[in-house]
Amino acid sequence: MLAVAPLRRAGRFDGFLIGIVDVDRLFGSLLSQEERQRYDMAVYDGREPLYATPGFDLRGAGPGAVDAALIVENASWRLTLLPTPKARAEAESAIPPLVFGSGLALAVLLTLTVHFMLAARLHSATLLLANRELHRQMQAEIELRRSNTSLATLNARLEQEVAERARAEERFRLGIESAPNAMVITDRQGRIVQVNTQTLRWFRHERAALIGQPIEMLIPPRFREQHVGHREGYQAAPTARPMGVKLELYALRGDGTEFPVDVSLSPIELHEGLRVICAIADITERKQAESELRQSNTALAAVNRELEAFAYAVSHDLRQPLRGMSGFGQVLLEEYGERLDETGRSYLQRIQAASRRMGQLIDDLLDLSRITRREMHHEEVRLSELAEEVILSLREREPERAVAVAIAPGLVARADARMVHIVLENLLGNAWKFTAHAPHPRIEVGAEGGDGERAFHVRDNGAGFDMAYAGKLFAPFQRLHGAHEFPGAGIGLATVQRIVSRHGGRVWADAEPGKGATIHFTLEPPTEAG
Amino acid sequence: MTTRERTILLVEDNPDDEELILRALRKNNIANEIAVTRDGAEALDYLHRSVAHAARSEGLPQVVLLDLRLPKLDGLEVLQRIRSEPSTHTLPVVVLTSSDEERDILGSYSLGVNSYVRKPVQFAEFVAAIQQLGMYWLLMNRPPPAERR
């Protein structure tokens, strides 16, 4: 019989003591050699026999049999003594078996208590063990269930991810398909794995003819070898970038014709490996527009050169005959003046005056053309100070004129100083000129408007003009006054307008005949925000 | 050598301008001999005493009055040749032209012109300009020693 007893120390479970109990020796030693000849003995745990002497047979039970109950912790044991045939024969002379049995039972009880206690402990220890095992199993079960649950969650998430991925792939496919450009996706070997419908339209191929083919089939043969090298270089370090920057790229259609393209490349890592998305734009129209623009630029440059040659010719060649007219007129006057009458001499003087005026016109015209051609240098220009200078030189030229001048202080602009000087010379010169007949001539220089559009103005209280003719004011050689009233070539405001428009500004006028005129101008483009 | 014996070389293709310049010089009592060449190539021939001018006497002019718009070689080319050759390297040259163009003025100065004068349209002004030119280059200005060789 195996005995297991739990070991406890300070109430803490420490383990099991396992021992083997020799039942034969335990119970066998209860009966002496002599008694063993008279009685057979058995011990039961319930119906289960724990021990029996070799001759014990319940079937042979007769008078003199003794049953004694043994109360053991957690168990109900029974001791049975059966008189052997020899004992029955000596019945009269023997100790009454009942007394013997009771004493024996007490001895068994006393002897065995310890063992039975041990056995009981063993039993409860077994239970504990079983319990622990059960607990462990239950824990395992719970653990399993728990992991089953998380597995299910994981599974659901995976499914969701798969669905999401499928949706993403569908979106990707739709995106590729609906792109306005030809979209070609290639694998690591440069083979076409996917194309959109635009590709088929532009390249004039069937889809089946493209899939699995090297991308080079869409490139004119003369670029192919080079392209393979470039492609391998790209595969080694793929980044999203335009292809062949500053190169003219051409694509090859199925019918052998070519068209100019722009290509941008983006690498994309898919589960099947590295893919390259080639977005191909057909730039035929852009190229055409560019070429047209180039042509018109060339034409414009030619016109500009012609204009410059013209200005140069005017500068040289038109002045020379004038000099002849003026010079020989003078010579005639000096050498032969006495042979002419007064009328003849006045005609010669008119020739002189006419040539002088024409000389001035040519110079004005040249100035105008120079303003158009001259390079601009932007800097901070102090308009108030420039205006003072111009007024000063006007006063020096005509010291007899008494003109009241009011210049707002601190007027500044970012502009070309030389050009702004010409603007002020023209505007103040006009104001000076057109106030010649005014009783109390007055000239004002100022500015209005804030950050959005700052406009400067030159105002006078002179002759003014009818606003009906304001449209003609800024055209070259347009004059609103007769030469007998006010001299001038009609080039001043045209010059002003050209300078202002070269600065991106605008110029406009307010006027009333007899009351004066105001010329407004800006020196920069109006800002968006205002 | 006195200034009276020194020559002025006028390079001018327009007969009217030539006449007016000569007249203006005379009016200003400038008595120097005035050699006139009518295109750029001839001007160089004169300076190098070759072709039509092979027979002229030795020496360089006191000053060259150079127009810019000239047949064959234009004024700037003539100026460039004058400055690039050692014999004429320091010869005083005055550009006398109708042009007021920046590129002509800048071009002349960057090639080493000594003065740039625009011909005035008005004869009176023209005469005044020539007078001043003559006074300055023939009387006041001290020519480089290389010219005296």
Side-chain angles (χ1 to χ4, degrees), chain A residues 308-309 311-313 315-317 319-324 326-328 330-331 334-335 352 355-357 359 362-363 366 369-370 373-374 418, chain B residues 12-17 19-20 23 27 67-69 74 76 97-104 116 118-127:
Chain A
E308 208 163 310
Y312 191 75
S315 165
H316 274 79
D317 300 350
R319 289 173 62 90
Q320 202 155 30
L322 272 181
R323 200 159 45 244
S326 164
F328 289 109
Q330 185 67 29
V331 172
E334 285 173 9
E335 309 273 315
Q352 302 273 72
S355 63
R356 184 182 302 126
R357 226 174 18 254
I362 290 170
D363 283 350
L366 282 175
S369 109
R370 269 194 208 108
R373 293 178 286 143
R374 183 150 61 202
R418 281 170 71 190
Chain B
E12 174 62 68
D13 70 316
N14 185 284
D16 285 355
D17 276 1
E19 176 67 33
L20 291 170
R23 190 184 158 81
K27 260 184 96 85
D67 193 11
L68 288 184
R69 294 263 280 179
D74 72 23
L76 291 180
T97 178
S98 307
S99 171
D100 199 18
E101 288 294 301
E102 214 169 85
R103 60 172 174 170
D104 282 337
Y116 189 104
R118 194 190 184 201
K119 295 172 186 167
V121 166
Q122 291 304 301
F123 188 66
E125 293 167 40
F126 191 79
V127 169

Coordinates of all heavy atoms in Angstrom, one line a residue, chain A residues 308-309 311-313 315-317 319-324 326-328 330-331 334-335 352 355-357 359 362-363 366 369-370 373-374 418, chain B residues 12-17 19-20 23 27 67-69 74 76 97-104 116 118-127:
Chain A
E308 N 15.5 99.0 -82.9 CA 16.8 99.6 -82.4 C 17.6 100.2 -83.5 O 18.1 101.3 -83.4 CB 17.6 98.5 -81.6 CG 18.4 99.1 -80.5 CD 18.9 98.0 -79.6 OE1 18.0 97.2 -79.1 OE2 20.0 97.9 -79.3
A309 N 17.7 99.4 -84.6 CA 18.4 99.9 -85.8 C 17.7 101.1 -86.3 O 18.4 102.1 -86.7 CB 18.4 98.8 -86.8
A311 N 16.0 103.3 -84.5 CA 16.3 104.4 -83.6 C 17.7 104.9 -83.8 O 18.0 106.1 -83.8 CB 16.1 104.0 -82.1
Y312 N 18.6 104.0 -84.1 CA 20.0 104.3 -84.3 C 20.1 105.2 -85.6 O 20.8 106.2 -85.6 CB 20.8 103.0 -84.4 CG 22.3 103.3 -84.4 CD1 22.9 103.6 -83.2 CD2 23.1 103.2 -85.5 CE1 24.3 103.8 -83.2 CE2 24.4 103.4 -85.5 CZ 25.0 103.7 -84.3 OH 26.4 103.9 -84.3
A313 N 19.4 104.7 -86.6 CA 19.4 105.4 -87.9 C 18.8 106.8 -87.7 O 19.4 107.8 -88.2 CB 18.6 104.6 -88.9
S315 N 18.8 108.5 -85.0 CA 19.7 109.3 -84.2 C 20.8 109.9 -85.1 O 21.2 111.0 -85.0 CB 20.3 108.4 -83.2 OG 21.5 109.0 -82.6
H316 N 21.3 109.1 -86.1 CA 22.4 109.5 -86.9 C 21.9 110.2 -88.2 O 22.3 111.4 -88.5 CB 23.3 108.3 -87.4 CG 24.3 108.0 -86.4 ND1 24.0 107.3 -85.2 CD2 25.6 108.3 -86.4 CE1 25.1 107.1 -84.5 NE2 26.1 107.7 -85.2
D317 N 21.1 109.5 -88.9 CA 20.9 109.9 -90.3 C 19.9 111.0 -90.5 O 20.0 111.8 -91.4 CB 20.5 108.7 -91.1 CG 21.6 107.6 -91.1 OD1 22.7 107.9 -90.6 OD2 21.3 106.4 -91.5
R319 N 19.4 113.4 -88.3 CA 20.0 114.7 -87.8 C 20.9 115.3 -88.8 O 21.0 116.5 -88.9 CB 20.7 114.4 -86.5 CG 19.7 114.1 -85.4 CD 20.5 113.7 -84.1 NE 21.3 114.8 -83.7 CZ 20.9 115.7 -82.8 NH1 19.8 115.6 -82.3 NH2 21.7 116.7 -82.5
Q320 N 21.6 114.5 -89.6 CA 22.6 115.0 -90.5 C 22.1 116.0 -91.5 O 22.6 117.1 -91.6 CB 23.3 113.8 -91.2 CG 24.7 114.2 -91.6 CD 25.6 113.0 -91.7 OE1 25.2 111.9 -92.0 NE2 26.9 113.3 -91.6
P321 N 21.0 115.6 -92.2 CA 20.4 116.6 -93.2 C 19.9 117.8 -92.5 O 20.0 118.9 -93.0 CB 19.3 115.8 -93.9 CG 19.2 114.5 -93.2 CD 20.3 114.3 -92.3
L322 N 19.4 117.7 -91.3 CA 18.9 118.8 -90.5 C 20.1 119.8 -90.3 O 19.9 121.0 -90.4 CB 18.4 118.4 -89.2 CG 16.9 118.0 -89.1 CD1 16.5 117.6 -87.7 CD2 16.0 119.2 -89.6
R323 N 21.2 119.2 -89.9 CA 22.4 120.0 -89.7 C 22.8 120.8 -90.9 O 23.1 122.0 -90.9 CB 23.5 119.2 -89.2 CG 24.6 119.9 -88.4 CD 25.4 119.0 -87.5 NE 25.8 117.8 -88.2 CZ 25.4 116.6 -87.8 NH1 24.6 116.5 -86.8 NH2 25.7 115.5 -88.5
G324 N 22.6 120.1 -92.1 CA 22.9 120.7 -93.3 C 22.0 121.9 -93.6 O 22.4 123.0 -93.9
S326 N 20.2 123.6 -91.4 CA 20.4 124.7 -90.5 C 21.7 125.4 -90.8 O 21.8 126.6 -90.8 CB 20.4 124.1 -89.1 OG 21.0 125.0 -88.2
G327 N 22.7 124.6 -91.0 CA 24.1 125.1 -91.2 C 24.2 126.0 -92.5 O 24.6 127.1 -92.4
F328 N 23.7 125.5 -93.6 CA 23.8 126.2 -94.8 C 22.8 127.4 -94.9 O 23.1 128.4 -95.5 CB 23.6 125.3 -96.1 CG 24.8 124.4 -96.2 CD1 24.7 123.1 -96.0 CD2 26.1 125.0 -96.6 CE1 25.9 122.2 -96.1 CE2 27.2 124.2 -96.7 CZ 27.1 122.8 -96.5
Q330 N 22.3 129.2 -92.3 CA 23.0 130.2 -91.5 C 24.1 130.8 -92.4 O 24.3 132.0 -92.4 CB 23.7 129.5 -90.3 CG 24.4 130.4 -89.4 CD 23.5 131.4 -88.6 OE1 22.3 131.1 -88.4 NE2 24.0 132.6 -88.4
V331 N 24.8 129.9 -93.2 CA 25.9 130.4 -94.1 C 25.3 131.4 -95.1 O 25.8 132.5 -95.3 CB 26.5 129.2 -94.8 CG1 27.5 129.7 -95.9 CG2 27.3 128.3 -93.8
E334 N 24.6 134.6 -93.4 CA 25.8 135.4 -93.1 C 26.4 135.9 -94.4 O 26.8 137.1 -94.4 CB 26.8 134.5 -92.4 CG 26.4 134.2 -90.9 CD 27.3 133.2 -90.2 OE1 28.3 132.8 -90.8 OE2 26.9 132.8 -89.1
E335 N 26.6 135.1 -95.4 CA 27.3 135.5 -96.5 C 26.5 136.3 -97.6 O 27.1 137.1 -98.3 CB 27.9 134.2 -97.2 CG 28.7 133.3 -96.3 CD 30.1 133.7 -96.1 OE1 30.8 134.0 -97.2 OE2 30.6 133.7 -95.0
Q352 N 15.5 127.9 -90.3 CA 16.3 127.6 -89.1 C 15.5 127.1 -88.0 O 15.8 126.1 -87.3 CB 17.0 128.9 -88.6 CG 17.9 129.5 -89.6 CD 19.3 128.9 -89.6 OE1 19.5 127.8 -90.0 NE2 20.2 129.7 -89.1
S355 N 14.1 123.6 -88.5 CA 15.1 122.5 -88.4 C 15.4 122.4 -86.9 O 15.6 121.2 -86.4 CB 16.4 122.8 -89.1 OG 16.9 124.0 -88.7
R356 N 15.3 123.5 -86.1 CA 15.5 123.4 -84.7 C 14.4 122.5 -84.1 O 14.7 121.6 -83.3 CB 15.6 124.7 -84.1 CG 15.9 124.7 -82.6 CD 15.9 126.1 -82.0 NE 16.8 127.0 -82.7 CZ 16.4 128.2 -83.2 NH1 15.2 128.7 -83.1 NH2 17.3 129.0 -83.8
R357 N 13.2 122.8 -84.4 CA 12.0 122.1 -83.9 C 12.1 120.6 -84.3 O 11.9 119.7 -83.4 CB 10.7 122.7 -84.4 CG 9.7 122.8 -83.3 CD 8.4 123.5 -83.7 NE 8.0 123.6 -85.0 CZ 8.1 124.7 -85.8 NH1 8.6 125.9 -85.3 NH2 7.7 124.8 -87.0
G359 N 14.8 119.0 -84.9 CA 15.9 118.4 -84.1 C 15.4 118.0 -82.7 O 15.7 116.9 -82.2
I362 N 13.1 114.9 -82.9 CA 13.9 113.7 -83.1 C 14.5 113.3 -81.7 O 14.5 112.1 -81.3 CB 15.1 113.9 -84.1 CG1 14.5 114.0 -85.5 CG2 16.1 112.7 -84.0 CD1 15.4 114.4 -86.6
D363 N 15.0 114.3 -81.0 CA 15.6 114.0 -79.6 C 14.5 113.4 -78.7 O 14.7 112.4 -78.0 CB 16.2 115.2 -79.0 CG 17.5 115.5 -79.7 OD1 18.0 114.7 -80.4 OD2 18.1 116.6 -79.4
L366 N 13.7 109.9 -79.7 CA 14.8 109.0 -79.2 C 14.7 108.7 -77.7 O 14.9 107.6 -77.3 CB 16.2 109.6 -79.6 CG 16.6 109.5 -81.0 CD1 17.9 110.3 -81.2 CD2 16.8 108.1 -81.4
S369 N 12.1 106.2 -77.2 CA 12.5 104.8 -77.6 C 13.5 104.3 -76.6 O 13.5 103.1 -76.3 CB 13.0 104.8 -79.0 OG 14.4 104.6 -79.1
R370 N 14.3 105.2 -76.0 CA 15.3 104.7 -75.1 C 14.6 104.2 -73.8 O 15.0 103.3 -73.2 CB 16.2 105.9 -74.7 CG 17.4 105.9 -75.6 CD 18.5 106.8 -75.0 NE 19.3 107.3 -76.2 CZ 19.2 108.5 -76.6 NH1 18.4 109.4 -76.0 NH2 19.9 108.9 -77.6
R373 N 13.6 100.8 -74.1 CA 14.7 99.8 -74.3 C 15.5 99.8 -73.0 O 16.2 98.7 -72.8 CB 15.5 100.1 -75.5 CG 14.8 100.0 -76.8 CD 15.7 100.4 -78.0 NE 15.8 101.8 -78.1 CZ 17.0 102.4 -78.5 NH1 18.0 101.7 -78.7 NH2 17.0 103.7 -78.6
R374 N 15.6 100.9 -72.3 CA 16.5 100.9 -71.2 C 16.3 99.9 -70.1 O 15.2 99.6 -69.7 CB 16.5 102.3 -70.6 CG 17.6 102.5 -69.5 CD 18.1 103.9 -69.4 NE 17.0 104.8 -69.1 CZ 17.1 106.2 -69.4 NH1 18.1 106.6 -70.0 NH2 16.1 106.9 -69.1
R418 N 16.2 107.3 -62.4 CA 16.3 108.1 -63.6 C 15.0 108.3 -64.3 O 14.6 109.4 -64.8 CB 17.3 107.5 -64.6 CG 18.8 107.7 -64.2 CD 19.7 106.9 -65.0 NE 19.8 107.4 -66.4 CZ 20.4 106.7 -67.4 NH1 20.9 105.5 -67.1 NH2 20.4 107.2 -68.6
Chain B
E12 N 35.3 111.9 -92.2 CA 33.9 112.3 -92.4 C 33.4 112.0 -93.8 O 34.1 112.4 -94.8 CB 33.8 113.9 -92.1 CG 32.5 114.5 -92.3 CD 31.4 113.9 -91.4 OE1 31.4 114.2 -90.2 OE2 30.5 113.2 -92.0
D13 N 32.4 111.2 -93.9 CA 31.9 110.8 -95.2 C 30.8 111.8 -95.8 O 30.6 111.8 -97.0 CB 31.4 109.4 -95.2 CG 30.1 109.3 -94.4 OD1 30.0 109.9 -93.3 OD2 29.1 108.6 -94.9
N14 N 30.2 112.6 -94.9 CA 29.2 113.5 -95.4 C 29.7 114.8 -95.9 O 30.3 115.5 -95.1 CB 28.1 113.7 -94.3 CG 26.9 114.5 -94.8 OD1 27.0 115.7 -94.9 ND2 25.8 113.8 -95.1
P15 N 29.6 115.1 -97.2 CA 30.2 116.4 -97.7 C 29.6 117.6 -97.0 O 30.4 118.6 -96.8 CB 29.9 116.4 -99.2 CG 28.9 115.3 -99.4 CD 28.9 114.4 -98.2
D16 N 28.3 117.6 -96.6 CA 27.8 118.8 -95.9 C 28.5 119.0 -94.6 O 28.8 120.1 -94.3 CB 26.3 118.6 -95.7 CG 25.4 118.7 -96.9 OD1 26.0 119.1 -98.0 OD2 24.2 118.5 -96.9
D17 N 28.6 117.9 -93.8 CA 29.2 118.0 -92.5 C 30.7 118.5 -92.7 O 31.2 119.3 -91.9 CB 29.2 116.7 -91.8 CG 27.8 116.5 -91.0 OD1 27.0 117.5 -91.1 OD2 27.6 115.5 -90.3
E19 N 32.0 120.2 -95.1 CA 32.0 121.7 -95.4 C 31.8 122.5 -94.2 O 32.4 123.5 -94.0 CB 30.9 121.9 -96.5 CG 30.7 123.3 -96.9 CD 32.0 123.9 -97.7 OE1 32.6 123.1 -98.4 OE2 32.3 125.1 -97.5
L20 N 30.8 122.1 -93.4 CA 30.4 122.9 -92.2 C 31.5 122.9 -91.2 O 31.8 123.9 -90.6 CB 29.1 122.4 -91.6 CG 27.8 122.7 -92.5 CD1 26.6 121.9 -91.9 CD2 27.5 124.2 -92.5
R23 N 34.4 125.0 -92.4 CA 34.0 126.4 -92.3 C 34.1 126.9 -90.9 O 34.6 128.0 -90.6 CB 32.5 126.6 -92.9 CG 32.1 128.0 -93.0 CD 30.7 128.2 -93.4 NE 30.2 129.5 -93.1 CZ 30.4 130.6 -93.8 NH1 31.1 130.6 -94.9 NH2 29.9 131.8 -93.4
K27 N 36.4 129.8 -89.4 CA 35.7 130.9 -88.7 C 36.4 131.1 -87.4 O 36.4 132.2 -86.8 CB 34.3 130.6 -88.4 CG 33.3 131.3 -89.4 CD 31.9 131.0 -89.1 CE 31.3 132.1 -88.2 NZ 30.7 133.2 -89.0
D67 N 34.2 110.5 -87.3 CA 32.8 110.2 -87.3 C 32.6 108.7 -87.0 O 33.6 108.0 -87.2 CB 32.2 110.6 -88.7 CG 30.7 110.6 -88.7 OD1 30.1 110.6 -87.6 OD2 30.1 110.7 -89.8
L68 N 31.4 108.4 -86.6 CA 31.3 106.9 -86.3 C 30.6 106.2 -87.5 O 31.0 105.0 -87.8 CB 30.4 106.7 -85.1 CG 31.1 107.1 -83.7 CD1 30.2 106.8 -82.6 CD2 32.4 106.3 -83.6
R69 N 29.6 106.8 -88.1 CA 29.0 106.1 -89.2 C 29.8 106.4 -90.5 O 29.7 107.4 -91.1 CB 27.6 106.7 -89.4 CG 26.7 106.4 -88.2 CD 25.8 105.2 -88.5 NE 24.7 105.5 -89.3 CZ 23.8 104.6 -89.7 NH1 23.9 103.3 -89.3 NH2 22.7 105.0 -90.4
D74 N 33.8 101.2 -89.9 CA 33.1 102.3 -89.1 C 34.0 102.9 -88.1 O 35.2 102.4 -87.9 CB 31.8 101.8 -88.5 CG 31.9 100.9 -87.3 OD1 33.0 100.9 -86.7 OD2 30.9 100.2 -87.1
L76 N 34.2 103.0 -84.8 CA 34.7 102.3 -83.7 C 35.8 101.3 -84.1 O 36.8 101.1 -83.4 CB 33.5 101.5 -83.0 CG 32.5 102.4 -82.3 CD1 31.4 101.5 -81.7 CD2 33.2 103.2 -81.2
T97 N 30.3 113.1 -83.7 CA 29.2 112.3 -84.4 C 27.8 112.8 -84.1 O 27.7 113.7 -83.2 CB 29.3 110.8 -83.9 OG1 28.3 110.0 -84.5 CG2 29.2 110.7 -82.4
S98 N 26.8 112.3 -84.8 CA 25.4 112.7 -84.6 C 24.9 111.8 -83.4 O 23.8 112.2 -82.8 CB 24.6 112.4 -85.8 OG 25.1 113.1 -86.9
S99 N 25.5 110.7 -83.2 CA 24.9 109.7 -82.3 C 25.0 110.1 -80.8 O 26.0 110.6 -80.3 CB 25.6 108.4 -82.4 OG 25.2 107.5 -81.4
D100 N 23.8 109.9 -80.2 CA 23.8 110.2 -78.7 C 23.5 108.8 -78.0 O 23.1 108.8 -76.9 CB 22.6 111.1 -78.5 CG 22.7 111.8 -77.1 OD1 23.8 111.8 -76.6 OD2 21.7 112.3 -76.6
E101 N 23.7 107.7 -78.8 CA 23.4 106.4 -78.2 C 24.4 106.0 -77.2 O 25.6 106.1 -77.4 CB 23.3 105.4 -79.4 CG 22.1 105.5 -80.3 CD 20.8 105.2 -79.5 OE1 20.7 104.0 -79.0 OE2 19.9 106.0 -79.5
E102 N 23.9 105.4 -76.1 CA 24.7 104.9 -75.0 C 25.8 104.0 -75.5 O 27.0 104.0 -75.1 CB 23.9 104.3 -74.0 CG 24.4 104.5 -72.6 CD 23.3 104.0 -71.6 OE1 23.3 102.8 -71.2 OE2 22.5 104.9 -71.1
R103 N 25.4 103.0 -76.4 CA 26.4 102.0 -76.8 C 27.5 102.6 -77.6 O 28.6 102.1 -77.5 CB 25.7 100.9 -77.7 CG 25.0 101.4 -78.9 CD 24.5 100.3 -79.8 NE 23.8 100.8 -80.9 CZ 23.4 100.1 -81.9 NH1 23.7 98.8 -82.0 NH2 22.7 100.6 -82.9
D104 N 27.3 103.7 -78.4 CA 28.3 104.4 -79.1 C 29.3 105.1 -78.1 O 30.5 105.1 -78.3 CB 27.8 105.4 -80.1 CG 27.2 104.7 -81.3 OD1 27.7 103.6 -81.6 OD2 26.4 105.3 -82.0
Y116 N 34.4 112.7 -76.6 CA 33.3 112.3 -77.4 C 32.4 113.5 -77.5 O 31.9 114.1 -76.5 CB 32.5 111.2 -76.7 CG 31.4 110.5 -77.5 CD1 31.6 109.3 -78.2 CD2 30.2 111.2 -77.7 CE1 30.5 108.7 -78.9 CE2 29.2 110.6 -78.4 CZ 29.3 109.4 -79.0 OH 28.3 108.8 -79.8
R118 N 29.1 115.4 -79.5 CA 27.9 115.2 -80.4 C 27.8 116.4 -81.2 O 27.8 117.6 -80.7 CB 26.6 114.9 -79.6 CG 25.5 114.4 -80.4 CD 24.2 114.4 -79.6 NE 23.2 113.8 -80.4 CZ 21.9 114.1 -80.2 NH1 21.5 114.8 -79.2 NH2 21.0 113.5 -81.0
K119 N 27.6 116.2 -82.5 CA 27.5 117.4 -83.4 C 26.1 118.0 -83.2 O 25.1 117.4 -83.3 CB 27.4 116.9 -84.9 CG 28.7 116.3 -85.4 CD 28.5 115.7 -86.8 CE 29.7 114.9 -87.3 NZ 29.4 114.1 -88.5
P120 N 26.1 119.3 -82.8 CA 24.8 120.0 -82.6 C 24.1 120.2 -83.9 O 24.8 120.4 -84.9 CB 25.2 121.3 -81.9 CG 26.6 121.2 -81.5 CD 27.2 120.2 -82.5
V121 N 22.8 120.2 -83.9 CA 22.0 120.5 -85.1 C 22.2 122.0 -85.6 O 22.4 122.3 -86.7 CB 20.5 120.1 -85.0 CG1 19.7 120.7 -86.1 CG2 20.4 118.6 -84.9
Q122 N 22.1 122.8 -84.6 CA 22.2 124.2 -84.9 C 23.6 124.7 -85.2 O 24.5 124.4 -84.5 CB 21.6 125.0 -83.7 CG 20.2 124.9 -83.5 CD 19.4 125.2 -84.7 OE1 19.4 126.3 -85.2 NE2 18.6 124.2 -85.3
F123 N 23.7 125.4 -86.3 CA 25.0 125.8 -86.8 C 25.7 126.6 -85.8 O 26.9 126.4 -85.6 CB 24.9 126.5 -88.2 CG 26.2 126.7 -88.8 CD1 26.9 125.7 -89.3 CD2 26.7 128.0 -89.0 CE1 28.2 125.9 -89.9 CE2 27.9 128.2 -89.6 CZ 28.7 127.1 -90.0
A124 N 25.0 127.5 -85.2 CA 25.7 128.4 -84.2 C 26.4 127.5 -83.1 O 27.5 127.8 -82.7 CB 24.7 129.4 -83.6
E125 N 25.6 126.6 -82.6 CA 26.1 125.7 -81.6 C 27.3 124.9 -82.1 O 28.3 124.6 -81.4 CB 25.1 124.8 -81.0 CG 23.9 125.5 -80.3 CD 22.7 124.6 -80.0 OE1 22.9 123.4 -79.8 OE2 21.6 125.0 -80.2
F126 N 27.1 124.5 -83.3 CA 28.1 123.6 -84.0 C 29.4 124.4 -84.1 O 30.5 123.9 -83.8 CB 27.6 123.3 -85.4 CG 28.3 122.2 -86.1 CD1 28.2 120.9 -85.8 CD2 29.2 122.5 -87.1 CE1 28.9 119.9 -86.4 CE2 30.0 121.6 -87.8 CZ 29.8 120.2 -87.4
V127 N 29.3 125.6 -84.5 CA 30.5 126.5 -84.7 C 31.2 126.6 -83.3 O 32.4 126.5 -83.2 CB 30.2 127.9 -85.3 CG1 31.3 128.8 -85.1 CG2 29.7 127.7 -86.7

